[in-house]
Amino acid sequence: MSRQLLFLLLTVGVCVSLSEGQAAYDQLPDLYKKGVDLALVQLKSHTSIPHHFLFFKSLTTSDVEAGHSVTYIRHNFYFKPTKCSKDTADPDPKRCPFRNDRVSTSGRSLTRSTDDRRQL
């Protein structure tokens, strides 16, 4: 009985963790998502990293008005490895749960935004 209860609690915990990570990504403004996506591409390009990573949560965000219609946007966040390999085609957060035996990886994006264009 206790093994079944433990298995159920672990399964529920994984589902909650996955939905929190995906919900946190979905709630990001588009400009923040672009920075996270670019950081994920850079992380995936390293040959020494075998796991697929997903956005886990934001740590800090800041928008600084620099004048002359220029805004600097800084976003610090965590990625967390999943159980899927990085070569997984079209990874789905439901099929690739977060690994709890690995540490999170921090990321940062800095974006310069003007009225007419944005630079990542």
Side-chain angles (χ1 to χ4, degrees):
M1 174 78 177
S2 64
R3 286 186 182 185
Q4 291 173 342
L5 182 60
L6 179 61
F7 178 75
L8 178 64
L9 290 175
L10 288 174
T11 303
V12 169
V14 167
C15 290
V16 168
S17 178
L18 281 174
S19 63
E20 286 176 7
Q22 187 62 36
Y25 178 80
D26 291 341
Q27 292 175 356
L28 290 174
D30 287 338
L31 191 56
Y32 289 98
K33 284 182 185 178
K34 289 179 184 178
V36 168
D37 293 342
L38 181 62
L40 278 171
V41 167
Q42 294 297 317
L43 184 63
K44 190 174 181 177
S45 71
H46 290 277
T47 57
S48 63
I49 298 175
H51 303 292
H52 175 70
F53 283 77
L54 289 174
F55 176 80
F56 184 58
K57 69 178 179 177
S58 291
L59 298 174
T60 60
T61 58
S62 66
D63 299 354
V64 177
E65 295 286 333
H68 303 290
S69 302
V70 175
T71 304
Y72 291 99
I73 300 167
R74 186 176 60 204
H75 183 203
N76 295 325
F77 46 85
Y78 277 146
F79 291 131
K80 199 165 184 182
T82 67
K83 292 186 178 182
C84 294
S85 71
K86 75 174 181 182
D87 298 329
T88 303
D90 193 29
D92 180 15
K94 293 179 182 173
R95 288 187 307 122
C96 299
F98 288 126
R99 294 181 68 118
N100 291 324
D101 61 342
R102 302 280 192 263
V103 296
S104 299
T105 302
S106 62
R108 175 183 294 167
S109 69
L110 179 62
T111 306
R112 180 177 183 255
S113 176
T114 60
D115 283 344
D116 57 344
R117 65 182 193 181
R118 293 181 177 136
Q119 298 173 341
L120 290 174

